[in-house]
């Protein structure tokens, strides 16, 4: 099993450009999350999904949109990238039980110039 | 104030030393997670606790629910233990987790 796969691994965007980050999991997990990680700060939740066709805002949703059209995929979109969105993005998934561990992707390093 | 506070922020140890990282939280939780992130690497789950103590190799994690406190211990530390260790709590009746800022551990040979 591949677990949680994120693509791309690296990307450089110019301000105003758009892109989509893809997260795919093959563990049939209900819950999926998108986080950003910035130096000196903990992981911050951008958006999350508790099942196919459902999404919800996290702590820092502004400037991002998400979709969960298929259970195994969770897409994160940046419609008009800003330098403040330079960060490392992590996707994670888990089963909907209290004792389910989190499984993380390897991260996407995004630089917006 | 963050819901999850870790200490210390940074820690340097000599190979072989015993290391302790602390995590305090201020909300009701169903589980607490300890995660490890190597430099430039992904994040892996080390432990998930709801009570008591768990051990895996040289790593030991404990939790005191009444005190709202958890510790991660590394015995006989090794340079390969150099990483960021992150505490996260799964809040009761919530889909989401709250994360500490992480503790950067450096083990010198």
């Amino acid at each position: 099993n591949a677990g949680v796969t994120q693509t791309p691994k690296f990307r450089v965007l110019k301000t105003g450009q758009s892109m989509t980050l893809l997260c795919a999991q093959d563990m049939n997990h209900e819950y999926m999350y998108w986080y950003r990680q910035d130096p000196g700060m903990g992981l911050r939740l951008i958006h999350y999904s508790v099942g196919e066709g459902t999404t919800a805002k996290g702590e820092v949703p502004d400037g991002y949109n998400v979709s969960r059209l298929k259970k195994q995929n969770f897409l994160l979109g940046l419609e008009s990238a800003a330098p403040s969105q330079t960060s490392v993005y992590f996707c994670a998934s888990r089963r909907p039980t209290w004792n389910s561990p989190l499984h993380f992707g390897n991260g996407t390093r995004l630089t917006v110039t | 104030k963050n819901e999850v506070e870790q200490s210390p922020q940074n820690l340097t140890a000599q190979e072989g030393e015993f290391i302790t990282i602390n995590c305090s939280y201020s909300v009701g939780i169903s589980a607490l997670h300890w995660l490890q992130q190597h430099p430039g690497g992904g994040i892996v789950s080390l432990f998930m606790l709801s009570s008591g103590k768990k051990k895996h190799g040289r790593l030991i994690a404990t939790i005191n629910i009444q005190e709202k406190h958890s510790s991660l211990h590394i015995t006989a530390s090794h340079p390969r233990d150099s990483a960021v260790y992150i505490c996260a709590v799964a809040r009761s009746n919530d889909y989401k987790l709250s994360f500490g800022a992480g503790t950067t551990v450096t083990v010198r040979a």
Side-chain angles (χ1 to χ4, degrees), chain A residues 31 33 37 45 94 99, chain B residues 30 37 43 48 95-96 99:
Chain A
Y31 295 177
Y33 307 85
Q37 185 179 44
L45 182 65
R94 68 184 182 114
N99 60 348
Chain B
S30 55
Q37 184 177 25
I43 301 170
M48 189 177 52
Y95 306 115
K96 305 184 290 293
F99 292 82

Side-chain angles (χ1 to χ4, degrees), chain A residues 31 33 35 37 40-45 48 50 57-59 88 90 94 98-107 109, chain B residues 9 30-31 33 35 37 40-45 48-50 84 86 88 90-91 94-102:
Chain A
Y31 295 177
Y33 307 85
Y35 297 98
Q37 185 179 44
M41 306 185 77
L43 288 157
R44 291 185 292 168
L45 182 65
Y48 65 100
V50 299
K57 293 180 180 179
E59 304 167 62
V88 181
F90 286 96
R94 68 184 182 114
W98 67 268
N99 60 348
S100 171
L102 270 176
H103 296 261
F104 283 87
N106 285 330
R109 186 172 294 275
Chain B
Q9 207 170 0
S30 55
H33 301 248
L35 311 168
Q37 184 177 25
I43 301 170
V44 297
S45 179
M48 189 177 52
L49 296 160
S50 58
V84 177
I86 302 168
R91 285 176 270 169
D94 197 340
Y95 306 115
K96 305 184 290 293
L97 285 82
S98 298
F99 292 82

